[in-house]
Structure formats: C-alpha cells, structure tokens
Amino acid sequence: MYDYFLGGSHNFAADRAAAEGLLSVAPDARDNARENRAFLRRVIGYLLDQGVRQFLDLGSGIPTAGNVHEIAHARDPGARVVYVDVEPIAVETSRRLLAGQPNAEIVHADLREPGSVRGQATLLDPAEPIAVLAISVLHFVPDADDPRRILGEYLAPLVSGSHLALSHVVVDQAPPPESADGLAVYARTATPVTLRDSRQVTAFFHGHPLVDPGLVPVSHWRADGSPDPSAIFGAVAKVQYE
C-alpha cells in the first residue's frame, strides 16, 4: 500500500485495492505517505551531517521510491545500510535490487526479535554509531508485543553517537469518526494499525534526548515552508550515556 501511495511499481492487486479502500475514507493517506517519505530523506541527510554512516532499517518493506541506501549513497557511497523485513516477497525483491551493492543488504528476520536481527546484520560494525530507523512501522506492532521493550533491546548495545529515528501515527485527542473506517481497512489486512498518543510514542526513545524540533508532524520536521500537519509524527533521538 505504501509503495502504491508513493507511485511505485512494487505492489500487487490486493495492495492497490486496500489502498483505494483507504483513500475512499481517508483521502489524505497518500499525502501522509509522501510526507513520511520526505521526512525519511531529511532524516538521512541530518544523520549523515552528524557523521553517522551505518543504518538499520526495520520493517523496510518492498523497495519503493527513495530507498535508504539510495539516499545515503548519493552523498557517501561507503555508508552501510541493512534492511530488515519478515515478508518473503519483500526480502526477495530487495535481494534482487541490492545485487552488486557491497554496502547494502537485506536481512530476513522479524523486527520483534532484535537478537536475530543483530546476529544477521553482519555488515554493521557495533563499535561505530548506528542509526536505527523505525519509519512508519511501529503502529503495525501491537501493544501485546511490547514495542517499547523491543526498541530498548535495539538501543541498549548501541555506542554513544548512535541515533533512533521513527515515525508513527499519533492521535492525542479522540480520533475523528472517519478514522474508524480507515482502521477497518487495515484490520482486513495482515497488519492492523495500533493508534498511540504522543506520550506513548515519546516513551519509545527510552529517555534519549530528542533533537530539535522534537516529536512533531513529519511534514514539519526540519522542513522548509509550512505544509499542513500530517497525522504521522516523527522524531530523532541521539543515543547518549552518562
């Protein structure tokens, strides 16, 4: 669905049908997806400016327009990128895309199992800073799986100077009636959505300081101009230890 919203070609009839169903009740879904992708581009640029050269992209999905390695390698071909996904089609498509890319790989693993992911992400050097990317993926992880604990297991071994960047659907007030229709569309897929408020999303950073401007709509995070606020919020934290 995400690829379809972004105008990509790696989507299937069922994806397109679900996406159109969502657009029928949430017309801004496509704009939210595009703003989220623009947020990712700005985040990668910011992280490169901070000297980060390693990226772990959790729940990367089927490759679509503006992948992390494409963004990073445009500035530094030596940057290393590890994608993580559990869906076989996403993994196989990624492997074909990344053939001949020595500094990018795909790991076939469930992001809810950090130990398995770390064990397979051999391209990354744990002694150097790593940016963990959780871009629009955690709202597909239910509370029963404890996403805060999962992220904590990714953050704990990181060296100072590492970062966590994430974006997530945020609902701080009673959701509008039409949001129930949108949630119903996702409920009919393999990845239903869990809504969370800004307090819950901020807790995912485990107290590591958020860089300015903090947790804000992705359309407002270090963006030029004043676009309409997105339903998806994003933030970046720097991993620091006392």
Side-chain angles (χ1 to χ4, degrees):
M1 292 172 65
Y2 189 49
D3 178 72
Y4 178 71
F5 289 144
L6 293 175
S9 59
H10 294 104
N11 53 76
F12 302 95
D15 305 320
R16 295 188 287 274
E20 287 296 336
L22 182 60
L23 288 171
S24 70
V25 296
D28 58 351
R30 179 178 281 113
D31 289 339
N32 283 334
R34 291 174 176 172
E35 291 290 356
N36 190 59
R37 203 64 174 182
F39 166 74
L40 175 62
R41 289 194 295 271
R42 295 194 298 274
V43 165
I44 299 302
Y46 170 81
L47 293 170
L48 290 169
D49 288 343
Q50 305 311 302
V52 177
R53 293 298 183 270
Q54 301 189 105
F55 302 87
L56 180 64
D57 188 0
L58 303 177
S60 52
I62 292 178
T64 188
N67 297 296
V68 173
H69 75 281
E70 294 169 331
I71 302 169
H73 289 169
R75 282 185 48 183
D76 184 351
R80 285 169 282 177
V81 179
V82 174
Y83 296 103
V84 179
D85 208 277
V86 71
E87 212 286 315
I89 292 177
V91 172
E92 184 56 34
T93 304
S94 297
R95 283 177 178 157
R96 291 199 302 268
L97 176 71
L98 297 174
Q101 291 277 355
N103 290 322
E105 67 179 4
I106 177 72
V107 167
H108 189 187
D110 191 326
L111 68 86
R112 295 172 296 181
E113 299 174 358
S116 175
V117 171
R118 284 197 300 270
Q120 298 182 62
T122 56
L123 192 61
L124 303 181
D125 181 356
E128 298 294 330
I130 296 172
V132 176
L133 309 176
I135 305 299
S136 279
V137 67
L138 293 179
H139 44 241
F140 298 117
V141 179
D143 290 335
D145 289 334
D146 197 354
R148 184 176 186 276
R149 173 194 59 79
I150 292 168
L151 279 179
E153 292 185 23
Y154 282 107
L155 294 175
L158 298 181
V159 300
S160 291
S162 297
H163 289 73
L164 168 63
L166 69 81
S167 61
H168 193 294
V169 173
V170 168
V171 178
D172 279 327
Q173 300 175 346
E178 61 269 20
S179 69
D181 296 326
L183 291 173
V185 171
Y186 279 105
R188 295 191 291 271
T189 73
T191 52
V193 168
T194 298
L195 297 180
R196 297 184 174 97
D197 61 29
S198 56
R199 177 188 58 81
Q200 292 171 301
V201 174
T202 300
F204 288 153
F205 292 96
H206 286 265
H208 293 291
L210 303 186
V211 303
D212 289 338
L215 182 67
V216 296
V218 292
S219 52
H220 291 177
W221 195 89
R222 295 179 177 247
D224 296 329
S226 300
D228 291 335
S230 169
I232 302 174
F233 279 48
V236 176
K238 184 175 183 179
V239 175
Q240 294 181 344
Y241 303 105
E242 296 181 357

